[in-house]
Amino acid sequence: MKISEFPTGSYPRYRAGLKLIGSQTSPYVRKVRIVMLEKRIDHEFVEEAPWSQNTHVPDYNPLGKVPVLAMDDGGTLFDSRVIAEYLDTVTPLSRLLPDDNRPRILVKRWEALADGISDAAVAIVLETRRPQEQQSMDWIARQQSKVERGLQACAEGLDDRAWCNGENYSLADIALGCTLGYLDLRFPQLDWRELYPNLAKFEAKLAKRQSFQDTAPPRS
């Protein structure tokens, strides 16, 4: 397994003995990495592609999916939403989920919407990697419609506000930013910036944050 060093930068670190297993191109893994950087949580990043023939991901997660957070007590957490919510409790620094129930649920709703767009986009990528004679154009079209409707919902929900939910940067913004970054990576022909200028402005603001810069997926 290839072990990557913790991203460079002047981050004061909270040492929790954690190991994150995942791929640099996964929007879900990137979301967790950004949460860890924003909250200054030190960790070891183990790069593992779940689709490779010799992957070790099932050794950590029986579902064979990333990200996986390996704890210092030998236990593991999986699903990015579960991991992100846990990490927000590790240290009070840079809280990303509100304490009050209603705003917390709204942030989680944003996260579910963003992750749902990523789910559809990933499904398209995987389908197009199958032999051409086995690909389903109906399936691809169905996933594309999810991406389109999801982006429209995000644009309408964001409107002219600075952040997705309330006046503060939160997990909702991280999730949406990672989804938009994944669309840029896998579907550069999808000109969502022209369709939704408010999302373009939002993404450009996130791109200036060190945590987003340090976790930008490789383009090759």
Side-chain angles (χ1 to χ4, degrees), residues 38-51:
E38 295 284 358
K39 296 186 69 67
R40 316 301 198 256
I41 298 174
D42 198 5
H43 64 284
E44 177 186 359
F45 180 54
V46 179
E47 189 172 349
E48 275 283 348
W51 306 109

Side-chain angles (χ1 to χ4, degrees), residues 6-14 36-41 93 210-211 214:
F6 189 83
T8 58
S10 56
Y11 295 106
R13 300 179 180 180
Y14 179 87
M36 298 183 94
L37 287 174
E38 295 284 358
K39 296 186 69 67
R40 316 301 198 256
I41 298 174
L93 180 67
Q210 193 65 47
S211 59
D214 287 349

Side-chain angles (χ1 to χ4, degrees), residues 183-195:
L183 293 179
D184 279 346
L185 176 68
R186 297 304 189 199
F187 305 95
Q189 74 281 7
L190 180 61
D191 196 359
W192 56 265
R193 288 178 176 81
E194 183 175 349
L195 290 172

